[in-house]
Amino acid sequence: MDEQEKFKMYYEYSEPVKTIPSHRMLAIRRGEAENILYFLIEVQPEHALSILQRHVLRQSGDWTRQLEMAIDDAWKRLLNSSIQGEIRLELKRRSDTEAIRVFRDQSL
């Protein structure tokens, strides 16, 4: 089986981060490392923006529109990619920890 065929099942794959099993995450990461897959985390911008607005926009005033623009800009340029990076790191930690546990339990 060639390398691309091995990852074919993940070409159009989608699953919520909270339910993805560790073994699947390891396979996806390996496919990405081998430049066969591209792994993308989709964050719902509406939900994230509403959370930011609740914390920043305490009352309506002269600066409300500028604050809304700053929130939108911060999300697009900084926070979205930062959150995706944090999610990737957490998925890596979780899948690595689970893989170590499985191999440890098998060797006992």
Side-chain angles (χ1 to χ4, degrees):
M1 179 184 298
D2 72 347
E3 292 300 307
Q4 289 188 343
E5 186 67 27
K6 187 169 33 175
F7 296 104
K8 189 175 184 174
M9 67 182 284
Y10 297 115
Y11 287 175
E12 299 293 325
Y13 176 76
S14 177
E15 182 173 1
V17 167
K18 64 183 176 183
T19 63
I20 189 167
S22 296
H23 68 277
R24 193 169 296 141
M25 191 65 240
L26 289 170
I28 291 168
R29 287 182 51 231
R30 191 173 78 242
E32 187 176 49
E34 294 177 16
N35 293 319
I36 295 170
L37 298 177
Y38 178 73
F39 168 41
L40 175 67
I41 297 172
E42 294 178 357
V43 180
Q44 298 173 343
E46 303 83 22
H47 182 66
L49 288 170
S50 71
I51 292 170
L52 290 169
Q53 288 172 350
R54 275 197 313 271
H55 289 282
V56 174
L57 302 175
R58 301 288 180 171
Q59 60 190 25
S60 186
D62 295 340
W63 291 95
T64 301
R65 182 64 194 132
Q66 285 76 18
L67 287 171
E68 289 171 342
M69 289 172 24
I71 291 167
D72 189 55
D73 180 61
W75 171 254
K76 288 178 182 171
R77 286 187 320 108
L78 307 168
L79 296 173
N80 185 23
S81 60
S82 178
I83 289 170
Q84 286 192 38
E86 289 293 322
I87 293 170
R88 280 177 171 265
L89 184 58
E90 180 56 32
L91 286 169
K92 179 186 181 319
R93 283 186 195 135
R94 188 173 74 186
S95 57
D96 288 350
T97 300
E98 178 64 15
I100 290 167
R101 186 193 64 74
V102 167
F103 285 117
R104 182 194 67 217
D105 292 351
Q106 288 178 354
S107 66
L108 294 178

